[in-house]
Amino acid sequence: MGHSHSHSEHNANRTRLAAAFGVTALFMLAEVVGGLISGSLALLADAGHMLTDAAALLMALLAIQFARRKPNARHTFGLLRLTTLAAFVNAIALLVITVLIVWEAIRRFAQPQPIEGGLMLGIAIAGLFANLLSFWLLHRGSEEKNLNVRAAALHVLGDLLGSVGAIVAAVIVMLTGWTPIDPILSLLVSVLVVRSAWALLRESLHELLEGAPVSINIDKLARDLKRNVNEVRNVHHVHLWQVGDKPVLTLHVQVVPPYDHDGLLRTIHRYLHQHYQIGHATVQMEYQACSGPDCELGAESRDAGHKHHEPAGHLHHHH
């Protein structure tokens, strides 16, 4: 049941991303041409942003395609990490484009360029509608779960603000002829873009560096298991990371020798699944107290000043 649900969700995400990609790519070209003809940097800034947008959407589409591939002997998790990698590359691309726009804006303050306000206004308004359509398409996806759909939605949100900025700049140029408003607004758009790109960079890097999902507190998980499963005496050697949007966990539990070994194992798995949404856990049950070097990992008696080096090869028997 869960599988067919996620399958239809994947398809829905893919259709939305494909539609948003089409809209974005089309209007990016319109903004590049319009920006060059009208001489507006705000339009070019928006087009540059839309270019990374189109790339973001294309990468997200490819990532969803790869995520559907079955795991194999070489990639035992499948290629789910590609989605995270795509988000990471997106964020860097956004930051690079922003630097280029800021550079050009500074140059324009020194040498103001003539701008054709009417053409700029027309294209900016069309761009705004294109962005609204893309944002609406993406926001109906499961964007809070999928880093890529969220990455793409963030791009488009930045674009929305960019288009609004371009409209404002065009109106001011038409009414007053004051052209410095154009680079000023392109700088404003850049600030908003950097903010969303930075958040995305941090989040995707955390996942690539095997960081534990922010939503799960390991110490609390260890305490909860001891409190709620009677036979569990101690929880240690806890390793938690994320692949795509799936949390993966390995841990050792010291238990009172159970009457039914497999039953207890099922209970622990069920508890992790129900309370922490962890569907993939490797649990090693032990009857003796832990005496290894990182027994504190996940246990309550964690001593900050008592750091141990993990022995090489420690993780191999988990996988």
Side-chain angles (χ1 to χ4, degrees), residues 23 49 55 58 74 107 153 167 174 188 267 275 280 295 301:
V23 171
H49 193 185
L58 187 61
R74 275 180 66 75
R107 208 179 63 78
I167 291 170
M174 285 172 75
L188 208 63
T267 303
H275 293 86
H280 188 109
C295 293
S301 59

Side-chain angles (χ1 to χ4, degrees), residues 44 46 50 61 84 122 128 185 193 214 221 248 270 284 294 304:
L44 283 174
D46 208 28
M50 272 190 151
L61 270 170
T84 316
L128 178 69
L185 276 166
V193 177
V214 185
L221 183 146
V248 180
R270 198 180 309 120
Q284 182 168 318
D294 56 348

